[in-house]
Amino acid sequence: MRYSIEPGINLDEVAEQNRPVLDEDDEDAFIVEEIGDSSDERQVEPIMTLEPKKGMVFDSEDDAVRFYKGYAKKKGFGVMRRTTRYGEDNMVTYFTLACSRQGKTQCSAKNSFMPNPSTRMQCPAKSNFSRREEKFCITSLTLDHNHPISPSKSRFLRCHKKLDLHSKRRLELNDQAGIRMNKNFGSLVMEAGGYGNLEFGEKECRNYLQEKRRLQLGAGDAHAVYQYFLRMQSKDPDFFHVMDVAEDGRLRNVFWADARSRAAYESYWDAITFDTTYLTNKYKMPFAPFVGVNHHGESVLLGCGLLSNEDTETFVWLFKSWLCCMSYKPPNAIITDQCKAMQNAIEEVFPQTRHRWCIWHIMKKIPEKLSGYEKYEKIKYTLSNVVYDSLTKHDFDKAWAEMINKYDLQDNEWLAGLYDNKNRWVPAYVKDTFWAGMSSTQRSESMNSFFDGYVNARTTLKQFVEQYENALRDKVEKENKADSKSFQEEIPCITHYDFEKQFQAAYTNAKFQEFQEQLRGKIYCYPSLLNKQGSLFSFGVSEDRKIFFEGEDGEIKEKWIASEFTVLFNQEECDVQCICRLFEFRGILCSHIISVLALMKIRDVPSRYILQRWRKDFKRKHTFIKCSYGDMLNTPVVQRYDDLCKRSREVAEKGAESDTLRDLVMDGLDELERKIEAYCASQDVQEDGPTSKQEDTMLNKEKLVLSPIPVRSVGRPPSKRKMSKVDQVIKKLRAKKRHVPKTTTKVPSQKQGKGNAHYEGYEAGSFLFFPNEFQELQTNEPATPTHIMSYIDILQGKKDVMDLLAANLNG
């Protein structure tokens, strides 16, 4: 910034030529504008030793504003732009910078007895600037203030508050990580060494993040998601997205999956869960994730959707979109909750897929459906034993019939419906299919819980998509850590069996621990030979187990029992099978089979019992695909800033080793800063690269997608908080007043504003109410009058109300 005082200038003449026509005494005529930091992102010098003087000349308008702001900050007063005049070429020829406390106080409060605070004191301090060729000079100024000023309080004035690029970047990254605003701002305070060293406050940080989100959303929430998907696809051709848009252009449903999720499905397509019980955002669109199980037994995201409805048609659209995304390879098995619409859609889109209901959701309904029975506690434990302890279909049918007859449950429609669909949820009927150990949709719900604290009633679609990215990155990182542990760490064997070493060498640590759990269970198993025909052996395995039962005194007790299992073993082919079907269900050999293998002196198990699904030495395609969402959200300026920070940190670490290296780095930075200033002075720096401009041009040509209309989900709505008796009385009275208007007359339509806009209102008592503008546009009918009353308005001077309130409180 350069300035000078040039002699020989008739400042009075210059000021007179550029003086605005406005009367300076007319406080309502001029436009007041608070001076912000939008004109220049460069740091203002913290200490200015030169005061403004008449005749000072500046190279540009920005230099003049920057100088006066620095002076005001040093002295301790705020700055605002009072008057601006433009020439015929639309260039600024004259402007005034004044103290922010200039002007008259204008009371805007509705209640004159409770006025709002005001900073205006008609302070005369100001400085007038006029253009002289390409420069600006101070033509007149007043330095005296009519109020106290304090340099230590300058940082609290809005015009001196400014967020630098480093702080903005820190706020954005912490916000994406889900760090609360108070802790986010606290980290900046600690880094700066105290509040006094910051040029902004927590409010400015909060406003910046809110403005950042609004800027990201652009034309509309749904359209921003659409543009984001296009940008993702332009950078990653394997990124898949589908948006279901109604005829009026409004978004109904959306599905997306990244390249890593699509590749992961090739390895984990055998069993998935699907659930829609989580309402996500301000549109109340159910979140519908497809979740699988990786080789560590952890959840893996395989794509997700946001739905505007939960009917068969919507699920058919979602399942077809997901099937198309996964190269038309349907899953082998799928778990959902007890939803008829889902069931119909699965039968249509995945006819060959084994469909199972979530057993956890079913058993959770027991108190709701059976608590009315006198013997509820006994029924609950009996039903649990029937469901979980029945080894075969015949055992379940027999035990179910005995339970129904014993407790007279023949008329219970819920139990009858469950029995008719027993092949969809009873373990004895579904354990012949591989489910990767899953029996419920809790994996989907645990995925939903990841969004708790990130998603609320105001969350937009764009913000939710970003939180999905956080969830994906979190799952990828957990899988990478588990891979590293399985590669570098080894869980010791607990026996001397050779087949245990087989699983130790092949399986991931998590799955090897599951095998060891079954190996420990071998001590409770006692195998015995039942029959032998050539190389085919039939073993009976007795296992000691703990169960709950109903005692003679009617109390629920526990005891140890011996459960009998049958294991078939083909010695010639080393083929083994147990009636418990644990290997078919989870892919882990059960303790009954292990006991038979030990009895038959089997050293090594065949490779078919060491599933590739759980191996740690198998290279999977999705592990070679990097999860990189964050760089796609950054602007070119942010990307360049991150690159420079990374490089400067490397130099700073080397320079911190000694004083000599530090001085060398500082000298180099000083020289580099001079080169940058010289370059900036010689030409304008391009803000955006050509790539970003091309992308923006491409995206702006796309059609506009409107945001969805908030929808109502299936099932009972969330219950409201319990109301006090006072609230209940007031609510009844207000409802009564709304339904029985006393003196209501229609007000003729009257034009307001420009154009042909008109509104029809109502007059109730001494108040005039107009209907909601949006309701008028939607229905073309006048809205019901709205009576606004407080508790005091209702209770004062009304004895009947007080009596009713007292009666309710006493009751």
Side-chain angles (χ1 to χ4, degrees):
M1 179 178 64
R2 291 178 297 176
Y3 49 84
S4 61
I5 301 179
E6 297 186 6
I9 300 178
N10 191 341
L11 298 177
D12 295 333
E13 181 180 348
V14 174
E16 187 64 30
Q17 293 175 355
N18 294 280
R19 190 177 304 279
V21 182
L22 299 176
D23 185 0
E24 294 189 6
D25 294 332
D26 186 0
E27 298 292 344
D28 297 329
F30 62 78
I31 300 175
V32 175
E33 179 184 357
E34 194 80 30
I35 299 297
D37 60 347
S38 59
S39 61
D40 200 326
E41 290 293 333
R42 286 172 288 180
Q43 181 75 24
V44 178
E45 295 181 9
I47 299 178
M48 304 291 293
T49 58
L50 188 64
E51 290 188 353
K53 294 182 180 180
K54 189 175 181 180
M56 269 190 171
V57 179
F58 301 88
D59 290 340
S60 65
E61 177 188 354
D62 291 341
D63 288 343
V65 173
R66 193 180 306 113
F67 170 81
Y68 196 75
K69 279 185 61 179
Y71 165 74
K73 184 177 181 180
K74 181 178 72 74
K75 288 296 184 180
F77 67 93
V79 180
M80 67 178 181
R81 183 181 293 242
R82 176 182 170 182
T83 305
T84 303
R85 183 179 180 183
Y86 297 88
E88 295 180 355
D89 57 355
N90 206 26
M91 299 290 290
V92 175
T93 59
Y94 178 92
F95 67 92
T96 299
L97 298 181
C99 175
S100 60
R101 305 195 69 175
Q102 192 179 72
K104 292 181 179 179
T105 300
Q106 297 180 356
C107 182
S108 59
K110 296 181 180 180
N111 190 343
S112 59
F113 290 98
M114 298 180 63
N116 296 326
S118 175
T119 61
R120 301 301 172 84
M121 292 190 62
Q122 293 183 300
C123 179
K126 66 177 180 177
S127 180
N128 298 323
F129 297 83
S130 294
R131 174 182 289 275
R132 183 175 179 268
E133 296 179 353
E134 298 299 326
K135 299 183 178 183
F136 283 85
C137 63
I138 300 179
T139 57
S140 62
L141 78 160
T142 302
L143 299 180
D144 296 331
H145 299 260
N146 63 356
H147 57 86
I149 56 178
S150 173
S152 63
K153 295 181 176 58
S154 293
R155 64 187 182 92
F156 296 107
L157 300 175
R158 187 175 65 177
C159 63
H160 298 312
K161 292 182 178 180
K162 175 183 176 182
L163 273 168
D164 57 272
L165 185 57
H166 169 71
S167 301
K168 292 178 180 178
R169 186 59 177 154
R170 172 73 69 83
L171 289 171
E172 292 175 16
L173 293 176
N174 290 345
D175 183 59
Q176 291 177 12
I179 299 176
R180 295 195 303 270
M181 187 63 247
N182 60 336
K183 295 186 179 296
N184 199 346
F185 177 69
S187 66
L188 296 175
V189 175
M190 296 296 295
E191 182 181 19
Y195 290 92
N197 297 327
L198 290 178
E199 294 185 330
F200 51 85
E202 184 174 349
K203 180 180 179 181
E204 285 68 40
C205 296
R206 196 179 305 275
N207 292 340
Y208 170 74
L209 290 178
Q210 293 176 353
E211 181 65 20
K212 183 71 175 177
R213 292 163 183 163
R214 285 196 294 269
L215 291 175
Q216 288 177 347
L217 294 179
D221 195 8
H223 189 61
V225 175
Y226 177 59
Q227 289 185 327
Y228 168 75
F229 284 160
L230 291 180
R231 185 175 293 108
M232 288 288 294
Q233 197 169 40
S234 67
K235 295 180 179 292
D236 182 6
D238 290 329
F239 182 85
F240 185 94
H241 74 278
V242 183
M243 302 186 79
D244 180 24
V245 182
E247 295 180 357
D248 59 353
R250 194 170 297 279
L251 177 66
R252 290 189 299 193
N253 311 296
V254 58
F255 167 79
W256 73 96
D258 69 302
R260 185 183 175 93
S261 297
R262 300 180 70 183
Y265 181 73
E266 297 180 13
S267 300
Y268 312 128
W269 63 275
D270 42 22
I272 66 169
T273 67
F274 177 78
D275 182 60
T276 61
T277 59
Y278 189 82
L279 297 180
T280 59
N281 46 42
K282 67 179 183 180
Y283 303 107
K284 298 188 180 299
M285 298 180 73
F287 174 51
F290 294 87
V291 181
V293 179
N294 65 12
H295 52 300
H296 300 285
E298 299 173 345
S299 300
V300 55
L301 278 166
L302 302 175
C304 76
L306 291 172
L307 309 178
S308 62
N309 209 333
E310 295 184 77
D311 55 12
T312 301
E313 181 182 359
T314 302
F315 286 129
V316 167
W317 176 89
L318 180 63
F319 292 156
K320 286 184 176 180
S321 300
W322 185 72
L323 188 62
C324 176
C325 172
M326 302 305 174
S327 302
Y328 294 96
K329 183 178 182 180
N332 186 63
I334 184 172
I335 304 176
T336 70
D337 59 4
Q338 212 173 344
C339 176
K340 188 64 176 177
M342 286 186 194
Q343 179 179 332
N344 295 337
I346 291 173
E347 291 175 353
E348 178 179 343
V349 183
F350 309 131
Q352 304 300 324
T353 299
R354 185 75 163 91
H355 180 206
R356 177 180 183 179
W357 287 345
C358 171
I359 192 172
W360 180 81
H361 277 103
I362 294 175
M363 301 303 288
K364 192 178 76 167
K365 294 180 181 179
I366 291 179
E368 176 188 348
K369 302 294 184 179
L370 303 178
S371 58
Y373 290 91
E374 182 179 356
K375 299 181 179 181
Y376 164 68
E377 292 294 331
K378 301 176 183 178
I379 295 175
K380 180 176 67 173
Y381 283 102
T382 303
L383 178 59
S384 179
N385 290 334
V386 170
V387 171
Y388 292 110
D389 295 338
S390 298
L391 294 177
T392 64
K393 300 175 183 178
H394 174 74
D395 292 343
F396 173 80
D397 293 336
K398 181 180 178 181
W400 184 276
E402 292 177 354
M403 178 191 69
I404 296 297
N405 295 328
K406 181 177 181 180
Y407 297 108
D408 296 327
L409 302 174
Q410 293 83 355
D411 297 331
N412 190 289
E413 296 181 359
W414 181 68
L415 291 176
L418 289 180
Y419 186 76
D420 292 339
N421 293 276
K422 56 188 176 183
N423 62 318
R424 294 188 181 275
W425 66 279
V426 177
Y429 279 84
V430 300
K431 63 183 180 180
D432 56 342
T433 302
F434 179 73
W435 297 97
M438 297 185 295
S439 60
S440 72
T441 60
Q442 284 184 304
R443 288 185 179 270
S444 298
E445 293 173 0
S446 66
M447 192 65 64
N448 292 337
S449 65
F450 179 88
F451 295 92
D452 292 343
Y454 295 88
V455 178
N456 52 53
R458 297 182 179 180
T459 302
T460 63
L461 293 179
K462 179 65 166 57
Q463 290 172 287
F464 186 85
V465 172
E466 292 175 1
Q467 293 310 320
Y468 170 83
E469 297 164 10
N470 290 337
L472 185 63
R473 281 194 293 266
D474 179 72
K475 295 300 178 183
V476 170
E477 181 62 17
K478 285 184 178 179
E479 182 175 329
N480 291 336
K481 286 183 179 179
D483 284 339
S484 177
K485 284 190 174 183
S486 295
F487 179 75
Q488 299 186 17
E489 299 178 2
E490 186 178 77
I491 299 178
C493 293
I494 59 176
T495 68
H496 297 291
Y497 293 123
D498 292 335
F499 53 74
E500 184 185 6
K501 296 180 181 179
Q502 272 187 280
F503 289 100
Q504 181 194 46
Y507 276 11
T508 62
N509 287 354
K511 288 303 170 180
F512 179 58
Q513 286 178 321
E514 291 185 23
F515 172 79
Q516 284 188 325
E517 184 66 26
Q518 295 299 319
L519 188 59
R520 282 188 288 267
K522 172 185 174 294
I523 64 177
Y524 300 106
C525 298
Y526 309 95
S528 59
L529 182 62
L530 299 179
N531 189 16
K532 177 184 178 183
Q533 294 181 355
S535 61
L536 183 61
F537 294 81
S538 177
F539 291 92
V541 180
S542 178
E543 180 185 14
D544 292 336
R545 300 171 59 239
K546 183 189 293 186
I547 67 167
F548 297 92
F549 70 100
E550 178 187 349
E552 295 180 356
D553 56 355
E555 298 295 327
I556 301 300
K557 301 180 180 180
E558 63 178 41
K559 69 175 181 179
W560 286 86
I561 65 170
S563 299
E564 299 295 333
F565 297 86
T566 302
V567 178
L568 301 179
F569 178 71
N570 189 329
Q571 189 175 24
E572 182 178 346
E573 299 179 0
C574 197
D575 191 12
V576 63
Q577 189 177 27
C578 180
I579 195 175
C580 75
R581 311 289 287 178
L582 182 69
F583 179 75
E584 289 76 8
F585 175 77
R586 291 176 56 186
I588 301 293
L589 290 178
C590 63
S591 56
H592 320 120
I593 290 180
I594 293 175
S595 64
V596 171
L597 293 177
L599 181 66
M600 297 299 293
K601 309 297 183 181
I602 301 298
R603 297 175 58 87
D604 298 324
V605 299
S607 58
R608 60 179 175 272
Y609 295 109
I610 303 178
L611 299 186
Q612 179 179 293
R613 185 71 164 71
W614 309 131
R615 295 186 70 97
K616 63 182 177 182
D617 54 356
F618 180 75
K619 299 298 183 181
R620 295 168 175 84
K621 180 179 176 181
H622 70 280
T623 58
F624 297 97
I625 301 178
K626 183 181 178 181
C627 177
S628 56
Y629 277 97
D631 55 346
M632 298 184 185
L633 294 173
N634 296 336
T635 62
V637 174
V638 173
Q639 291 178 1
R640 290 192 290 265
Y641 175 80
D642 289 343
D643 293 339
L644 292 173
C645 285
K646 181 179 178 181
R647 187 70 180 92
S648 62
R649 283 195 297 267
E650 296 173 357
V651 176
E653 290 179 0
K654 296 178 181 179
E657 295 178 359
S658 67
D659 292 340
T660 304
L661 290 176
R662 182 201 61 189
D663 295 339
L664 181 63
V665 172
M666 296 300 293
D667 293 340
L669 289 176
D670 292 339
E671 178 65 24
L672 181 61
E673 186 177 10
R674 286 191 291 270
K675 291 182 179 181
I676 294 176
E677 290 179 350
Y679 178 81
C680 294
S682 62
Q683 58 182 325
D684 295 333
V685 180
Q686 298 293 329
E687 294 295 334
D688 294 313
T691 303
S692 62
K693 290 185 178 180
Q694 293 174 1
E695 290 180 358
D696 293 340
T697 303
M698 176 190 69
L699 296 177
N700 290 334
K701 292 181 179 179
E702 301 295 338
K703 62 181 181 181
L704 180 66
V705 181
L706 302 180
S707 299
I709 300 176
V711 297
R712 180 182 178 184
S713 61
V714 297
R716 183 178 66 86
S719 59
K720 298 180 180 179
R721 67 175 178 86
K722 187 176 181 181
M723 299 178 65
S724 65
K725 292 188 176 182
V726 175
D727 292 334
Q728 294 175 13
V729 173
I730 301 301
K731 183 178 179 180
K732 291 179 181 179
L733 291 171
R734 285 181 170 173
K736 183 177 179 181
K737 291 290 185 181
R738 281 196 297 268
H739 287 86
V740 189
K742 295 182 179 180
T743 59
T744 303
T745 58
K746 189 172 182 180
V747 179
S749 62
Q750 46 186 300
K751 294 183 179 180
Q752 295 182 359
K754 298 181 180 180
N756 298 324
H758 68 279
Y759 301 91
E760 290 186 350
Y762 285 84
E763 186 177 2
S766 59
F767 297 95
L768 181 64
F769 302 94
F770 284 93
N772 184 286
E773 178 183 0
F774 295 101
Q775 183 171 351
E776 182 187 31
L777 294 176
Q778 294 172 3
T779 63
N780 293 323
E781 295 292 336
T784 305
T786 305
H787 296 266
I788 305 175
M789 296 184 178
S790 64
Y791 285 1
I792 298 178
D793 297 330
I794 297 177
L795 297 178
Q796 273 187 343
K798 297 189 177 181
K799 186 176 183 301
D800 56 338
V801 176
M802 298 300 295
D803 294 341
L804 178 59
L805 178 60
N808 277 271
L809 292 176
N810 294 332

